[in-house]
């Protein structure tokens, strides 16, 4: 039996046998419901419009529900219009063109259609749970409409009066918005983001705001996320790399408009130092117009080259501080022959395609010039004092980790580093070698230290941990990177494309084999008979015949490339993995075009033998423990071990507690 003191505490919440018994009935009923639908997204890379569409459309499920509900009653165009209204209710209702066509009759018809969709998507939840998701102002009215029996003539009149009142009081638009957002809320129960929210795309900040407003989300960090986390902690190499990628992909809005990072010092420095240098190999890969801060391609190229040189200097200093990283061979600035215009890499000499290095001192190539140091001091201040960036990075910590085990699925972004023989690859650390799950836990602990450790109390410990963010970004044994080396320098300065190759960790070969996946699942305490790995990081090139399903259906790689930068290589725009009570399904995304038909193709990849109930999930196991505790409390009431208390007594107890905690 539970400790009596614990049961007495539980009795404060359930002061009578009736209260405890009622809660047992409620929890048992919930355990018998179908499990909620989980959605798995990966590698969002700042593509806010595409991601928000996928979120609000539930990767095509809302569109399928509309078709299922109305079938031939609505044309394709009418179904698409209803779907877009559900996805973007506020934008559509505010559109002057829509307002000109909107009538009371349209409002009435639309509300009835939305109520029909609401009934379908809420059918597997308790009435209480659905009501909790409703907006407070309209909860009673929506609840009445959802559960109204219109076969009864009196109820038909009741329904008619509700609808007329909504229209007559001029709240029809707000009611339509509330219903649309409720549908969005009901179709996704849990949201899992398998890393790389940041970089390349225009607005990672908008994605983070959307995630912050979602009711149940967890994040498994990606290497691009770690880079931004390091930047927010003041790591100069991470800051330089974040800016290098942003300038290379023309992503200025997220920095200046999103996070308030002042880029004027960088642009002024770049214009001064590289005046007359066209920096042709640093021109942006994507030429989308920035909404708030339009930057000419020539200036973006100069800014990119300027910050890239600073990056290579900062990386060199960081590598010197950490011989345990074993990355001395990636310090390349001192291997440049400035007179011949060549560089030595791994014992081989290559000609440089760009030899203009006005800020590098050949005698001390990793030293920042005075102006570079001033620039970095300004940028470090901007990154570490951005209020919105602080808010978003804290969200990454409170809702994120290196990996997660949920409902027999192991989620992580990159890989579990392996040796060529398939054994777990170990990273040498100050506290010994770490491999497998221990390596993932070690990486998490260092990240937490970097963000939360007091730098004044332990400056060296803080620096050590903050430096590690850069290793998570691109270290050869980093689970988030998973490659032997990063070839940024080669891409910038060498013509020979053979030097661009970044060899993947053996994990990516072994993980195609079921035995390897089972061994990894066991390492993380997951039953290999029923478990899966869900992975991101490496785009699935469908144009080359690659499949996101590997290891006989035990592993899913869901990075198909939502980022526009990947579309030409992958042929698609990414995947969503959907896990409901009946099956696992993959939704294959299309290139996103707002307002058009973007519904993904959905393929069922694994059918459940029996419908999965809440009681069989991780949440269900917690509920069953609560039931067991309540059953012991109920027995304690019946045995007389604990005395039942009436409502009045209970309230007086609470008042007494309040007086002790908050004395007048």
């Amino acid at each position: 039996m539970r400790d009596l003191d614990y049961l007495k505490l539980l009795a404060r919440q359930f002061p009578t046998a009736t209260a405890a018994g009622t809660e047992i009935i409620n929890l048992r009923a919930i355990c018998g419901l179908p499990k909620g639908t989980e959605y798995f997204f990966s590698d969002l890379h700042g593509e806010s419009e595409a991601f928000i569409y996928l979120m609000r459309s539930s990767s095509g499920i809302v569109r399928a529900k509309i078709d299922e509900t109305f079938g031939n009653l609505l044309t394709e165009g009418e179904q698409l219009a209803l779907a877009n209204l559900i996805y973007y209710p506020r934008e559509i209702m505010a559109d002057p063109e829509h307002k000109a066509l909107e009538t009371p009759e349209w409002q009435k018809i639309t509300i009835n259609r939305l109520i029909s969709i609401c009934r379908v998507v809420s059918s597997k939840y308790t009435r209480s749970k659905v009501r909790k998701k409703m907006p407070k102002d309209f909860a009673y009215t929506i609840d009445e409409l959802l559960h109204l029996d219109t076969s009864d003539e009196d109820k038909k009149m009741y329904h008619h009066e509700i609808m007329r009142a909504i229209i007559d009081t001029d709240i029809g638009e707000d009611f339509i918005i509330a219903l649309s957002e409720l549908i969005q809320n009901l179709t996704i129960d849990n949201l899992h983001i398998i890393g790389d929210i940041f970089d390349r795309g225009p607005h990672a900040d908008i994605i983070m705001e959307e995630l912050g407003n979602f009711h149940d989300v967890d994040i498994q960090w990606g290497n691009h996320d770690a880079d931004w986390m390091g930047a927010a902690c003041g790591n100069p190499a991470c800051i330089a790399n974040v800016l290098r990628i942003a300038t290379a992909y023309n992503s200025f809005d997220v920095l200046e408009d999103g996070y308030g990072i002042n880029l004027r010092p960088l642009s002024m420095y770049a214009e001064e130092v590289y005046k007359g240098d066209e920096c042709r190999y640093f021109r942006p890969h994507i030429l989308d117009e920035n909404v708030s801060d339009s930057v000419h391609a020539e200036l973006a190229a100069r800014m990119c080259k300027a910050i890239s040189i600073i990056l290579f200097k900062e990386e060199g200093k960081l590598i010197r501080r950490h011989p345990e990283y074993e990355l001395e061979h990636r310090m390349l600035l001192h291997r440049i022959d400035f007179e011949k215009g060549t560089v030595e890499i791994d014992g081989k000499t290559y000609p440089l395609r760009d030899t203009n290095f006005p800020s590098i001192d050949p005698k001390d190539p990793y030293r920042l010039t005075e102006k570079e140091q001033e620039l970095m001091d300004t940028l470090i201040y901007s990154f570490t004092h951005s209020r919105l960036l602080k808010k978003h990075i804290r969200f990454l910590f409170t809702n994120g980790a290196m990996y997660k085990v949920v409902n027999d699925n192991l989620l992580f972004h990159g890989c579990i580093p392996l040796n060529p023989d398939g054994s777990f690859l170990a990273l040498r650390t100050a506290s010994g070698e770490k491999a497998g799950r221990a390596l993932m836990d070690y990486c998490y602990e260092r990240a937490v230290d970097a963000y939360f450790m007091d730098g004044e109390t332990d400056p060296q410990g803080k620096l050590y941990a903050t430096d590690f963010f850069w290793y998570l970004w691109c270290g050869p044994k980093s689970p988030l990177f998973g490659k032997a080396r990063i070839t940024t320098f080669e891409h910038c300065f060498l013509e020979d494309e053979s030097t661009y190759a970044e060899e993947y960790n053996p994990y990516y070969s072994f993980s195609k084999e079921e035995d390897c996946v089972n061994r990894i699942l066991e390492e993380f305490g997951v039953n290999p008979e029923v478990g899966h790995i869900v992975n991101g990081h490496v785009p699935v090139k469908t144009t080359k015949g690659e499949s996101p399903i590997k290891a006989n259906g035990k592993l899913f790689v869901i990075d198909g490339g939502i980022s526009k930068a990947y579309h030409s290589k992958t042929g698609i725009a990414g995947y969503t993995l959907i896990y409901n009570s009946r099956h696992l399904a993959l939704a294959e995304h299309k290139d996103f075009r707002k307002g058009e038909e973007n519904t993904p193709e959905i393929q069922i990849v694994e059918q459940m033998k029996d419908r999965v109930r809440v009681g069989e999930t991780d949440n269900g196991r917690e509920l069953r423990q609560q039931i067991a505790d309540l059953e012991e409390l109920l027995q304690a009431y019946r045995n007389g071990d604990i005395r039942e208390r009436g409502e009045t007594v209970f309230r007086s107890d609470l008042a007494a507690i309040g007086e002790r905690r908050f004395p007048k």
Side-chain angles (χ1 to χ4, degrees):
M1 184 172 176
R2 278 277 193 179
D3 182 89
L4 198 60
D5 288 337
Y6 169 79
L7 293 178
K8 285 178 179 178
L9 285 172
L10 190 60
R12 290 181 177 275
Q13 189 175 356
F14 304 98
T16 65
T18 301
T22 301
E23 185 66 4
I24 289 170
I25 293 168
N26 178 45
L27 295 180
R28 282 185 177 174
I30 291 172
C31 285
L33 289 171
K35 74 174 283 295
T37 305
E38 300 173 71
Y39 280 70
F40 304 77
F41 293 98
S42 177
D43 296 81
L44 309 178
H45 285 301
E47 296 291 348
S48 54
E49 284 200 341
F51 174 66
I52 287 171
Y53 165 79
L54 292 168
M55 278 269 291
R56 297 181 183 181
S57 68
S58 304
S59 294
I61 295 300
V62 170
R63 187 71 172 80
K65 295 297 183 185
I66 291 172
D67 186 56
E68 175 188 318
T69 305
F70 295 107
N72 295 327
L73 297 174
L74 298 180
T75 65
E76 282 292 313
E78 288 172 327
Q79 289 192 32
L80 179 58
L82 181 59
N84 282 324
L85 177 65
I86 292 170
Y87 310 153
Y88 308 107
R90 295 182 183 275
E91 295 93 323
I92 288 175
M93 300 306 285
D95 185 351
E97 289 186 17
H98 168 79
K99 282 186 175 294
L101 300 173
E102 188 182 318
T103 65
E105 186 62 23
W106 178 87
Q107 287 189 1
K108 191 185 300 182
I109 291 169
T110 301
I111 289 169
N112 280 320
R113 288 173 178 173
L114 292 173
I115 287 292
S116 296
I117 299 298
C118 236
R119 285 197 190 103
V120 173
V121 298
S122 65
S123 60
K124 69 178 180 180
Y125 300 114
T126 63
R127 190 165 174 173
S128 171
K129 182 169 183 176
V130 174
R131 184 148 185 155
K132 285 175 184 174
K133 291 175 179 280
M134 294 177 186
K136 281 185 178 180
D137 291 344
F138 298 121
Y140 174 80
T141 307
I142 293 173
D143 191 54
E144 288 293 299
L145 290 174
L146 278 178
H147 300 96
L148 202 59
D149 179 10
T150 54
S151 62
D152 183 289
E153 283 300 320
D154 291 332
K155 293 296 178 67
K156 275 186 181 179
M157 180 60 69
Y158 180 56
H159 175 270
H160 174 74
E161 287 303 318
I162 290 176
M163 295 299 295
R164 194 167 72 171
I166 290 170
I167 305 303
D168 290 348
T169 55
D170 201 26
I171 61 170
E173 289 189 0
D174 291 336
F175 198 75
I176 286 168
I177 291 169
L179 283 172
S180 299
E181 292 179 347
L182 177 60
I183 291 168
Q184 295 174 24
N185 208 335
L186 287 167
T187 47
I188 301 179
D189 218 49
N190 311 102
L191 184 62
H192 310 290
I193 307 297
I194 322 290
D196 279 0
I197 296 167
F198 289 87
D199 285 333
R200 294 194 177 95
H203 271 296
D205 58 309
I206 293 177
I207 293 177
M208 289 299 296
E209 284 294 294
E210 190 82 3
L211 294 176
N213 293 326
F214 194 76
H215 57 271
D216 191 335
V217 60
D218 54 75
I219 300 165
Q220 291 71 60
W221 304 327
N223 60 319
H224 287 267
D225 304 322
D227 200 21
W228 275 79
M229 292 160 81
C233 289
N235 182 316
C238 290
I239 288 172
N241 194 54
V242 161
L243 293 171
R244 177 190 67 81
I245 295 173
T247 52
Y249 285 89
N250 202 28
S251 301
F252 290 93
D253 276 354
V254 69
L255 290 165
E256 294 203 299
D257 185 50
Y259 290 119
I261 305 298
N262 183 9
L263 295 181
R264 182 166 174 75
L266 174 58
S267 66
M268 292 174 64
Y269 170 79
E271 284 283 61
E272 177 187 341
V273 175
Y274 293 99
K275 187 176 182 179
D277 185 343
E278 64 179 30
C279 302
R280 60 179 294 196
Y281 300 109
F282 294 86
R283 291 175 69 85
H285 302 305
I286 294 175
L287 295 176
D288 287 351
E289 287 292 328
N290 287 285
V291 175
S292 303
D293 189 8
S294 183
V295 178
H296 292 299
E298 293 80 6
L299 175 56
R302 292 187 184 113
M303 292 169 73
C304 186
K305 182 175 180 180
I307 203 66
S308 295
I309 296 298
I310 292 173
L311 168 65
F312 301 137
K313 291 183 177 184
E314 293 288 4
E315 287 181 335
K317 292 191 290 184
L318 193 150
I319 290 168
R320 279 177 177 164
R321 286 199 298 272
H322 296 278
E324 74 275 15
Y325 290 174
E326 299 176 337
L327 284 171
E328 291 80 4
H329 61 289
R330 296 309 298 159
M331 296 174 63
L332 299 176
L333 296 185
H334 70 285
R335 300 176 191 275
I336 295 174
D337 187 321
F338 291 90
E339 291 184 0
K340 295 181 180 178
T342 61
V343 63
E344 181 194 326
I345 301 176
D346 296 334
K348 188 174 179 181
T349 301
Y350 298 91
L352 295 166
R353 62 184 182 184
D354 183 336
T355 56
N356 183 31
F357 300 113
S359 66
I360 298 179
D361 179 357
K363 296 178 182 177
D364 190 3
Y366 299 101
R367 181 181 60 82
L368 295 183
T369 66
E370 186 177 336
K371 289 184 177 180
E372 284 175 328
Q373 188 61 61
E374 287 178 5
L375 172 61
M376 286 308 298
D377 289 344
T378 301
L379 291 171
I380 289 169
Y381 184 88
S382 285
F383 272 90
T384 56
H385 287 77
S386 168
R387 292 180 65 181
L388 186 62
L389 183 57
K390 280 185 179 179
K391 172 188 170 185
H392 290 171
I393 298 303
R394 194 165 192 95
F395 185 81
L396 286 177
F397 276 103
T398 55
N399 291 69
M402 289 290 294
Y403 66 92
K404 185 178 180 70
V405 176
V406 56
N407 295 332
D408 299 312
N409 293 311
L410 171 60
L411 322 180
F412 55 83
H413 176 71
C415 69
I416 305 301
L418 301 178
N419 290 305
D421 64 358
S423 59
F424 292 120
L425 176 64
L427 174 69
R428 183 159 56 93
T429 75
S431 55
E433 292 194 336
K434 308 291 182 182
R437 185 174 186 171
L439 172 58
M440 299 290 268
D441 291 338
Y442 174 83
C443 293
Y444 174 77
E445 289 162 6
R446 295 292 73 71
V448 170
D449 286 346
Y451 192 74
F452 292 102
M453 185 181 286
D454 184 354
E456 293 185 7
T457 304
D458 186 0
Q460 285 305 113
K462 180 83 168 180
L463 179 63
Y464 181 89
T466 305
D467 282 353
F468 194 70
F469 272 124
W470 177 82
Y471 190 87
L472 283 175
W473 152 251
C474 65
K477 296 180 181 180
S478 164
L480 303 185
F481 183 58
K483 299 176 187 177
R485 66 174 63 187
I486 192 166
T487 55
T488 307
F489 182 93
E490 288 85 342
H491 277 82
C492 291
F493 291 107
L494 302 188
E495 203 74 60
D496 187 345
E497 293 188 5
S498 68
T499 64
Y500 301 171
E502 296 175 344
E503 182 185 352
Y504 282 100
N505 182 269
Y507 165 87
Y508 293 99
S509 297
F510 281 109
S511 62
K512 297 173 185 176
E513 301 171 8
E514 189 173 354
D515 287 346
C516 175
V517 170
N518 288 342
R519 190 158 46 82
I520 292 172
L521 289 170
E522 288 175 345
E523 171 76 0
F524 286 82
V526 181
N527 181 0
E529 294 296 317
V530 295
H532 305 85
I533 290 175
V534 187
N535 234 156
H537 192 50
V538 180
V540 179
K541 300 180 179 68
T542 58
T543 52
K544 294 185 177 181
E546 293 181 1
S547 169
I549 309 168
K550 304 182 186 302
N552 198 25
K554 302 297 287 290
L555 184 147
F556 299 100
V557 180
I558 58 170
D559 177 11
I562 193 173
S563 172
K564 291 176 184 175
Y566 286 136
H567 292 184
S568 61
K569 298 177 182 178
T570 61
I572 58 167
Y575 294 97
T576 306
L577 181 66
I578 304 169
Y579 178 24
N580 64 23
S581 60
R582 298 185 187 277
H583 57 244
L584 280 162
L586 278 170
E588 184 179 294
H589 311 152
K590 299 176 181 177
D591 284 352
F592 174 73
R593 293 179 178 84
K594 192 169 182 177
E596 297 184 18
E597 179 59 272
N598 297 292
T599 306
E601 297 290 331
I602 298 176
Q603 172 195 359
I604 295 174
V605 294
E606 184 177 326
Q607 196 83 39
M608 302 297 115
K609 291 180 182 178
D610 299 299
R611 195 168 193 188
V612 182
R613 304 288 169 178
V614 170
E616 301 167 63
T617 66
D618 293 346
N619 185 45
R621 284 184 270 277
E622 292 179 12
L623 293 178
R624 289 202 302 275
Q625 183 58 59
Q626 291 176 33
I627 290 168
D629 292 346
L630 286 164
E631 286 173 340
E632 290 195 20
L633 175 62
L634 191 59
Q635 192 61 46
Y637 281 139
R638 289 171 177 167
N639 293 342
D641 295 327
I642 297 177
R643 183 168 62 88
E644 292 186 68
R645 292 184 291 177
E647 187 179 4
T648 305
V649 176
F650 184 54
R651 283 182 175 169
S652 67
D653 281 358
L654 286 179
I657 292 168
E659 286 176 7
R660 288 197 299 272
R661 291 185 62 193
F662 308 104
K664 294 179 181 178

